Amino acid sequence: GAAPYNLDGSNQIVGVWDSGPARDTHEQFQNAPTPNLINNGTKRILRVDTSTNTNHGTHVTGTIIGDGTNNAAARGFAHKAYVLSHDWNNIDQERREAKHNWNHVADNHSYADFNGGSDDWGDYTAGTQQVDFTNRDFLLCQVQSAGNYASTQPGGTGSKPFTGGTCTVPSYNAHRNGFVIAAAQDNMDITGFSSRGPALDGRLVPQFCANGEGLTSAIASRNAAYDSYSGTSMSG
């Protein structure tokens, strides 16, 4: 059998929480070995929330597990891995259940939670602490996008305008027990939109960056639909 951590993702399961689940019938998510882990035909998406598929969730999933079928540019980083595809409701409970039921090796979160815009940017809030408790107690490897707010923070009651020199990573994304990922260009410079730290308590956030500009991946409109997106969602 394959080693548990092959670079192509063989035998690995990843959890994805996003604006909506991926289109599991897309050509990038097929070619599962026989027999499939859950007798699900060719599909490498093992769980799909009942909510509507989204382009964003499909694009992120493709960047992780796309296998390059009919479009080599859309091949992901773990092109033989499986995905548990979720929307962003009941995240904490679903992460714990996914670890219990599937023992997934990592999960991806390409969103920010502003709690109505009242959070301090880069602060360590109660919600951030709960994320860390779950990561620690369930031995979860969490990958979180840093956010795309380098120069413009979203509005809302209590939100703080960006004045320069302050953290532009949303508080929910500034946890301690996971990886927070900024976006870089092909030349390895950070993109102009990528959020950056440090956190208000001085921690290095984000800790890593990856290519997040102009990534081609699957989208949800058709089984062979593609688009090029930029953002820390893509680098995450």
Side-chain angles (χ1 to χ4, degrees):
Y5 295 105
N6 284 350
L7 294 180
D8 62 10
S10 299
N11 297 331
Q12 297 186 37
I13 299 174
V14 179
V16 177
W17 280 263
D18 212 290
S19 58
R23 183 182 180 114
D24 64 331
T25 57
H26 199 285
E27 63 182 355
Q28 290 300 314
F29 308 141
Q30 311 308 308
N31 299 316
T34 303
N36 185 283
L37 290 181
I38 58 169
N39 296 317
N40 195 28
T42 65
K43 295 178 183 178
R44 288 184 296 117
I45 295 183
L46 303 177
R47 180 193 190 281
V48 183
D49 278 351
T50 56
S51 51
T52 303
N53 300 333
T54 64
N55 286 334
H56 190 277
T58 302
H59 197 282
V60 167
T61 300
T63 303
I64 299 170
I65 69 163
D67 68 358
T69 294
N70 296 324
N71 189 337
R75 180 169 168 171
F77 287 89
H79 56 274
K80 292 186 179 181
Y82 297 85
V83 153
L84 310 170
S85 187
H86 308 78
D87 61 26
W88 51 30
N89 297 319
N90 304 314
I91 295 171
D92 194 68
Q93 177 184 344
E94 288 179 346
R95 294 183 72 211
R96 292 166 181 252
E97 291 174 350
K99 184 65 174 179
H100 176 77
N101 293 328
W102 295 96
N103 195 28
H104 64 298
V105 297
D107 53 50
N108 179 278
H109 303 261
S110 292
Y111 56 85
D113 182 353
F114 300 102
N115 291 333
S118 60
D119 281 354
D120 290 331
W121 290 80
D123 201 3
Y124 194 71
T125 65
T128 317
Q129 185 181 51
Q130 181 57 54
V131 171
D132 274 338
F133 285 162
T134 300
N135 290 344
R136 179 197 66 190
D137 295 347
F138 285 75
L139 301 178
L140 286 168
C141 177
Q142 180 179 14
V143 177
Q144 181 99 39
S145 61
N148 305 325
Y149 308 113
S151 59
T152 305
Q153 295 174 342
T157 303
S159 64
K160 295 184 175 182
F162 177 57
T163 56
T166 58
C167 178
T168 56
V169 175
S171 294
Y172 185 85
N173 301 33
H175 43 73
R176 298 171 178 172
N177 294 337
F179 298 109
V180 182
I181 313 297
Q185 305 171 56
D186 287 338
N187 64 4
M188 295 187 288
D189 289 341
I190 193 167
T191 64
F193 58 76
S194 182
S195 294
R196 56 207 73 187
L200 293 188
D201 57 13
R203 286 178 295 114
L204 177 66
V205 173
Q207 302 95 348
F208 300 98
C209 28
N211 190 350
E213 187 169 76
L215 268 71
T216 296
S217 187
I219 58 172
S221 56
R222 291 178 289 107
N223 287 337
Y226 299 90
D227 205 347
S228 176
Y229 287 0
S230 297
T232 58
S233 296
M234 287 64 251
S235 59

